[in-house]
Amino acid sequence: MISPHSSVEWTSDTELQCLIEDVPHDFHAAFLRTGSRTAPDSDVYLCWTAESPEQSIADIACCMKRRSSLDPGCTIFTSHPGRCEWEYVDPVAVAVQAQADQLITELDLVRPVPNWPDEPSR
């Protein structure tokens, strides 16, 4: 989706689903777009509970836990159950990488590292 604000990133998903799939939980949230708050970071979610058919939209602070100080923070909503996003395997990313690796091999795009002669002795 194209945004009138260049700093807003919208979901590219055509079907919205809860970000947490592997643990039972009552509060569900599907990412819609980046949030309006900058400190702390936040995102806008479509929210619902298992007991109610009602839905709401909320700007919720992001978890921001990190594997290391150099890694980006987890962008699942704060206090989420289960694992942080970097602990999930992204099947689409895995499939894309596998296809790219296959094309590189088929097209012979990877050149072997040359065998450089040993350094001359001094």
Side-chain angles (χ1 to χ4, degrees):
M1 174 180 276
I2 297 175
S3 172
H5 303 284
S6 61
S7 61
V8 174
E9 293 180 34
W10 288 85
T11 184
S12 59
D13 297 335
T14 55
E15 293 182 25
L16 299 176
Q17 66 182 34
C18 183
L19 296 171
I20 310 296
E21 298 177 354
D22 62 335
V23 294
H25 57 285
D26 294 326
F27 177 78
H28 300 278
F31 173 79
L32 292 177
R33 68 170 179 85
T34 53
S36 60
R37 294 182 277 163
T38 56
D41 289 332
S42 67
D43 286 331
V44 176
Y45 297 91
L46 174 65
C47 307
W48 67 96
T49 62
E51 295 81 33
S52 173
E54 293 184 21
Q55 299 173 339
S56 62
I57 294 177
D59 193 352
I60 305 172
C62 297
C63 169
M64 299 309 290
K65 289 181 186 171
R66 301 170 191 277
R67 270 189 295 200
S68 76
S69 59
L70 299 177
D71 289 326
C74 173
T75 58
I76 299 175
F77 55 88
T78 191
S79 302
H80 63 82
R83 301 175 285 175
C84 284
E85 67 185 337
W86 65 79
E87 297 175 289
Y88 289 95
V89 174
D90 181 356
V92 174
V94 171
V96 167
Q97 186 61 54
Q99 189 173 23
D101 291 345
Q102 181 180 356
L103 285 171
I104 287 171
T105 301
E106 288 175 4
L107 298 175
D108 197 26
L109 296 176
V110 176
R111 295 189 176 111
V113 177
N115 291 327
W116 297 105
D118 293 335
E119 287 186 39
S121 47
R122 295 179 189 196

